[in-house]
């Protein structure tokens, strides 16, 4: 039987729940001088991959404890996480964001669309994934990958 | 299928409404709800005095122009011939038709005469391999991107949305006066990809139209295909579809609530939404289905091996104990959303805005209410008529409670209702599903078992004409928070 927590103490319970749920890394978090900055860019998929990254960046997962931080400005980013099939209109946006990132930047295709278009191969409006613009060296498979899959893959990529 | 006409107008409004409906029905009936009008009838429909039937969608291709309307709670589709690439603009009568006219011009090069608005591109920003790519006579590529007009731009990556949508604003003294939207960056050419496929082949792509409707889009499509084939899914299938849709509704509402909460720094509420949504995804995965219910709906039912009863029970058990805390946190943080990004009730009515945004502005439209076998007693949330972000957030919570109640009711009598009579097979069908973000519509015409023609209307489209009014008076940097509270999918809008 669940206890119905209402009344003046309910906020305290809500806060305690949030603290109790705070995700922790099972393995030891990697030692880095600073977290790896992730900039996420959707380029014309179904938004499923983008939303899974947003979930990973939410409170239910330990993205920051794992040594990553999502940033809002490409100038603060180390890695560009690209989702979606890369529409022809978006190519210019990808280029603009990539150029705004500092040296040492790294490009990661997230999801089937971003690698080769996935369900949306090249057409009059789409390029068919990142591979049309550049060789794809780093990618995370899935349609969409779950937040756990994403986190695991990011950690593997960080370990080289 | 029931045909109750209710609730939209009364008195002389009903008389006028009937007269627009009567003009449409004076045309040649070619499918259950579709009438071919000659140019004179089309013109009469657009000019008849009196109340205007609510417009769900407008589109045109090389051959015909279409308006999908609601009469009571039933769809009514009218179409007319496109001659010399031109047709009389539905926007001359239906204010919300402008977007569809612009899309049709971009895709087919067919022109709406006497159209409202400035005719700016809706999708074609100049980057495609041809102009009018779906036309039988496409033009050469434009040869480069065209910049959007407007004094301020919000680039596609700056909107806070899940996909690329480009906004340009007229700004005066730091405040938004008007908004123009271009969805070209998110356009994937979905119609071209689906044409010529069998419905079964098309389903995997329809399942990836937008993550805001992994269930709602395939379900609306499956219903349209069933109607085209003269079939009615049995009550067992119908109930499974309803439960899947409710699970998706809970998940999408939680996603949009978390985004809205973060937009006003209500991190504790967002945290609870995140955990509840993740608990639902895990419950789905533990029951052997995909976390977000992708690929569950098929044209004639649902994926083999789906065990709906334990799935519904697991989701219910994951969500129910979390509701009280969410409601309490909403009460605490709701004042931050007071009066924010308000949609006026008259505009919601005029542009037939559905979903949470429409219902929290006083519109009663919920397409679930017209479904055969719906346990209506579970749908209690009425929303308020405030139309602001607070009303939307409150309604999402109330609808989550309703979804759980609806799942309980369905589980209590699953598959027990009577079958509906099947419509005649006409190779044409209209399907609707009330998804988490509103009413998703599909119209499909089959030929020799393949999709000859198709139209998709995501609920985000009905929001485009009212965005200007909702954002007017705010600084551009408040736009992402406002958009988050509305729940827009660029992928669904652009297709
Ligand atoms: S890979 Fe799949 S989930 Fe990701 S954006 Fe593409 S279609 Fe959507």
């Amino acid at each position: 039987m669940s206890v119905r927590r209402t009344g003046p103490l309910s906020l305290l319970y809500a806060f305690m729940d949030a603290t109790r749920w705070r995700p922790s890394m099972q393995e030891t978090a990697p030692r880095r001088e600073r977290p790896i900055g992730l900039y996420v860019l959707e380029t014309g998929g179904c938004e499923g991959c983008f939303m899974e990254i947003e979930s990973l960046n939410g409170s239910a997962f330990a993205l920051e404890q794992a040594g990553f931080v999502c940033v809002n400005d490409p100038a603060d980013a180390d890695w560009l996480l690209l989702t979606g099939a890369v529409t022809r209109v978006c190519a210019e946006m990808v280029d603009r964001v990539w150029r705004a990132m500092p040296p040492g930047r790294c490009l990661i295709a997230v999801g089937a669309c971003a690698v080769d278009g996935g369900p949306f191969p090249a057409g009059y409006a789409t390029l068919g994934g990142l591979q049309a613009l550049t060789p794809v060296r780093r990618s995370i498979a899935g349609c969409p990958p779950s937040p756990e899959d994403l986190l695991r893959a990011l950690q593997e990529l960080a370990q080289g | 299928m029931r045909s109750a006409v209710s609730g939209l107008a009364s008195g002389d409004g009903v008389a006028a409404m009937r007269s627009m409906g009567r003009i449409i029905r004076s045309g040649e009936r070619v499918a259950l709800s579709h009438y071919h009008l000659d140019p004179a009838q089309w013109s009469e429909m657009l000019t008849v005095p009196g109340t205007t039937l609510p417009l769900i969608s407008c589109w045109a291709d090389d051959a015909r122009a279409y308006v999908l309307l609601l009469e009571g709670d039933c769809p009514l589709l009218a179409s007319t011939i496109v001659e010399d690439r031109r047709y009389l603009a539905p926007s001359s009568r239906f204010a919300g038709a402008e977007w569809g006219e612009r899309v049709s011009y971009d895709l087919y090069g067919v022109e709406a005469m006497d159209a409202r608005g400035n005719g700016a591109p809706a999708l074609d920003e100049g980057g495609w391999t041809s102009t009018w790519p779906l036309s039988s006579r496409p033009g050469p590529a434009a040869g480069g991107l065209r910049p959007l007009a407007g004094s301020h731009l919000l680039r596609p990556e700056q909107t806070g949305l899940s996909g690329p949508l480009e906004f340009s604003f007229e700004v005066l003294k730091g405040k938004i006066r008007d908004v123009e939207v271009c969805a070209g960056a998110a356009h994937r050419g979905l119609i071209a990809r689906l044409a010529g496929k069998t419905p079964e082949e098309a389903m995997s792509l329809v399942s990836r139209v937008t993550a805001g409707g992994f269930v709602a889009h395939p379900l609306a499509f499956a219903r349209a295909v069933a109607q085209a084939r003269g079939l009615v899914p049995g009550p067992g299938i119908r109930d499974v579809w309803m439960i899947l849709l409710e699970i998706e509704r809970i998940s999408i509402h939680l996603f949009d609530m978390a985004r809205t909460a973060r937009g006003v720094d209500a991190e504790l509420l967002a945290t609870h939404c995140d955990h509840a949504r993740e608990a639902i995804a895990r419950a789905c995965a533990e029951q052997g289905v995909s976390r977000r219910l992708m690929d569950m709906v098929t044209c004639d039912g649902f994926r083999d091996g789906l065990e709906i009863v334990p799935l519904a029970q697991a989701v219910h058990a994951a969500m129910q104990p979390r509701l009280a805390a969410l409601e309490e946190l909403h009460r605490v943080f709701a004042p931050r959303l007071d009066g924010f990004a308000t949609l006026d009730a008259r505009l919601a009515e005029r542009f037939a805005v559905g979903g949470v945004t429409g219902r929290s502005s006083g519109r009663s439209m919920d397409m679930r209410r017209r479904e055969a076998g719906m346990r209506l007693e579970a749908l209690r949330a009425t929303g308020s008529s405030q139309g602001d972000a607070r009303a939307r957030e409150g309604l999402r919570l109330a609808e989550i409670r309703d979804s759980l109640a609806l799942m309980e009711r369905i589980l209590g009598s699953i598959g027990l209702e009577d079958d509906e009579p099947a419509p005649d097979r006409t190779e044409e069908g209209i399907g609707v599903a009330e998804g988490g973000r509103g009413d998703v519509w599909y119209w499909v015409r089959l030929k020799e078992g393949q999709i000859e023609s198709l139209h998709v209307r995501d609920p985000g489209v009905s929001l485009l004409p009212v965005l200007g009014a909702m954002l007017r008076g705010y600084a551009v940097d408040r736009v992402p928070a406002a958009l988050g509270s509305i729940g827009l999918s660029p992928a669904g809008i652009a297709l």
Side-chain angles (χ1 to χ4, degrees):
Chain A
M1 193 180 77
S2 70
V3 181
R4 192 171 157 81
R5 295 162 166 184
T6 52
L9 284 179
S10 56
L11 255 189
L12 181 62
Y13 282 127
F15 181 75
M16 283 163 50
D17 279 341
T19 311
R20 184 165 51 86
W21 292 333
R22 188 166 292 153
S24 62
M25 295 298 300
Q26 261 122 23
E27 309 103 55
T28 324
R31 290 230 180 98
R32 287 194 207 105
E33 272 178 25
R34 63 176 187 86
I36 294 172
L38 308 174
Y39 188 86
V40 191
L41 192 63
E42 162 68 28
T43 64
C46 80
E47 302 168 8
C49 291
F50 187 96
M51 285 168 71
E52 293 302 335
I53 298 176
E54 193 163 333
S55 293
L56 173 63
N57 189 38
S59 314
F61 295 93
L63 184 64
E64 295 202 5
Q65 288 94 317
F68 301 94
V69 61
C70 282
V71 298
N72 292 321
D73 186 341
D76 299 327
D78 302 296
W79 294 3
L80 174 59
L81 303 189
L82 191 137
T83 63
V86 191
T87 62
R88 293 174 190 274
V89 174
C90 277
E92 186 259 355
M93 172 178 76
V94 174
D95 185 57
R96 171 160 37 85
V97 167
W98 181 245
R99 284 172 193 275
M101 290 173 64
R105 60 206 166 174
C106 167
L107 178 59
I108 299 166
V110 177
C113 280
V115 176
D116 60 5
F120 306 104
Y124 70 85
T126 54
L127 286 167
L130 209 42
Q131 67 174 18
L133 295 177
T134 182
V136 181
R137 297 204 186 86
R138 297 178 185 83
S139 63
I140 301 175
C143 181
S146 69
E148 284 101 340
D149 295 340
L150 285 163
L151 188 53
R152 205 175 308 116
L154 289 175
Q155 288 177 293
E156 285 169 12
L157 287 165
Q159 282 159 12
Chain B
M1 197 168 286
R2 289 167 296 162
S3 61
V5 176
S6 62
L8 273 172
S10 59
D12 61 350
V14 170
M17 201 172 77
R18 283 212 190 97
S19 77
M20 185 180 259
R22 201 166 53 227
I23 291 166
I24 294 172
R25 273 187 288 272
S26 70
E28 181 196 357
R29 188 178 188 185
V30 293
L32 186 64
S33 320
H34 182 185
Y35 295 82
H36 278 184
L37 307 189
D38 63 32
Q41 290 167 322
W42 182 260
S43 170
E44 194 186 354
M45 173 191 75
L46 296 177
T47 51
V48 62
T51 306
T52 303
L53 292 175
L55 177 98
I56 296 297
S57 198
C58 159
W59 70 99
D61 57 27
D62 270 340
R64 301 193 73 79
Y66 302 80
V67 285
L68 177 58
L69 309 172
L70 259 193
E71 192 181 47
D73 58 4
C74 288
L76 188 59
L77 179 62
S79 70
T80 195
I81 194 162
V82 170
E83 285 176 302
D84 298 330
R85 293 190 166 206
R86 297 170 126 207
Y87 60 100
L88 198 54
S91 65
S92 62
R93 178 63 182 263
F94 303 98
E98 193 198 336
W99 178 261
E101 291 168 1
R102 287 161 57 194
V103 167
S104 303
Y105 182 78
D106 287 353
L107 295 180
Y108 294 94
V110 291
E111 200 177 336
M113 292 182 291
D114 298 330
R116 222 178 261 252
N118 60 11
L123 298 176
D124 185 1
E125 297 186 44
W128 296 349
T129 53
S130 60
T131 49
W132 312 333
L134 304 193
S135 163
S136 53
R137 288 177 288 156
L145 292 182
R146 286 185 284 265
L148 293 186
S151 57
H152 286 66
L153 293 181
L154 197 58
R155 294 198 180 278
E157 70 274 24
Q158 296 169 332
T159 62
L161 293 170
S162 301
L165 206 57
E166 204 152 3
F167 290 81
S168 65
F169 302 94
E170 290 300 335
V171 176
L172 190 70
K173 294 184 181 161
K175 293 186 171 168
I176 293 170
R177 276 165 52 95
D178 208 1
V179 182
E180 194 77 66
V181 178
C182 190
H187 179 69
R188 291 155 287 169
L190 198 83
I191 300 297
R193 294 177 195 276
L194 293 174
K197 288 188 159 61
T198 65
E200 283 72 17
E201 289 166 350
M203 192 48 114
S204 65
L205 206 52
V206 172
S207 299
R208 281 153 185 82
V209 171
T210 164
F214 279 152
V215 174
H217 273 263
L219 180 46
F221 176 66
R223 285 172 171 163
V225 169
Q227 190 180 91
R229 289 171 168 169
L231 303 171
V232 170
I237 291 171
R238 187 197 61 209
D239 284 351
V240 169
W241 283 353
M242 282 183 190
I243 289 176
L244 292 173
L245 200 55
E246 293 315 306
I247 296 174
E248 175 168 85
R249 183 181 328 281
I250 297 171
S251 178
I252 289 293
H253 278 1
L254 288 166
F255 182 88
D256 289 338
M257 285 177 64
R259 249 197 199 167
T260 306
R262 290 205 163 88
V264 291
D265 296 327
E267 188 57 40
L268 189 55
L269 173 56
T271 295
H272 277 252
C273 293
D274 287 346
H275 281 269
R277 185 163 189 258
E278 185 53 28
I280 290 171
R282 290 209 170 125
C284 292
E286 282 162 17
Q287 295 301 319
V289 300
S290 58
R291 288 165 45 90
R292 309 293 184 205
L293 299 180
M294 294 176 87
D295 303 312
M296 289 298 111
V297 176
T298 62
C299 288
D300 57 357
F302 47 88
R303 201 198 72 180
D304 281 350
L306 170 64
E307 295 285 350
I308 198 69
V309 174
L311 174 65
Q313 288 170 334
V315 168
H316 192 283
M319 188 63 218
Q320 182 73 45
R322 297 168 185 268
L323 257 182
L326 285 170
E327 283 165 348
E328 188 62 26
L329 289 167
H330 169 68
R331 266 191 288 279
V332 171
F333 291 112
R336 298 185 189 185
L337 299 166
D338 265 344
F340 183 46
T342 301
L343 174 62
D344 178 83
R346 278 165 309 167
L347 277 183
E349 198 69 49
R350 182 162 174 235
F351 290 97
V353 177
V356 164
T357 305
R359 286 192 288 279
S360 57
S361 297
R363 266 199 107 218
S364 60
M365 195 174 109
D366 182 338
M367 296 313 292
R368 287 179 295 175
R369 293 185 182 278
R370 70 186 285 277
E371 286 175 24
M374 175 53 64
R375 281 62 162 181
L376 285 168
E377 66 280 9
L379 303 182
R380 301 173 71 94
T382 51
S384 78
S385 54
Q386 295 301 310
D388 57 3
R390 178 183 186 148
R392 291 190 285 278
E393 199 80 333
L395 184 59
R396 286 186 179 112
L397 252 181
E399 290 194 354
I400 290 174
R401 191 172 278 288
D402 280 0
S403 293
L404 294 174
L406 182 52
M407 284 160 58
E408 285 167 24
R409 302 273 172 155
I410 296 172
L411 288 181
S413 59
I414 194 159
L416 287 186
E417 297 281 335
D418 286 343
D419 280 16
E420 276 184 282
D424 291 339
R425 179 176 185 136
T426 59
E427 304 298 317
E428 233 195 86
I430 296 171
V432 60
E434 184 69 40
R437 286 174 172 164
D439 46 324
V440 176
W441 293 83
Y442 276 69
W443 168 78
V444 62
R445 188 170 64 224
L446 305 176
K447 190 174 179 190
E448 290 164 9
Q450 293 170 331
I451 296 172
E452 184 186 40
S453 203
L454 174 97
H455 178 69
V456 183
R457 205 296 309 248
D458 184 84
V461 170
S462 73
L463 289 162
L464 296 177
V466 298
L467 276 181
M470 293 180 82
L471 300 175
R472 192 164 299 139
Y474 292 102
V476 172
D477 63 5
R478 292 284 281 152
V479 170
L483 294 176
S485 84
I486 295 166
L488 270 184
S489 162
I493 290 168
L495 302 176

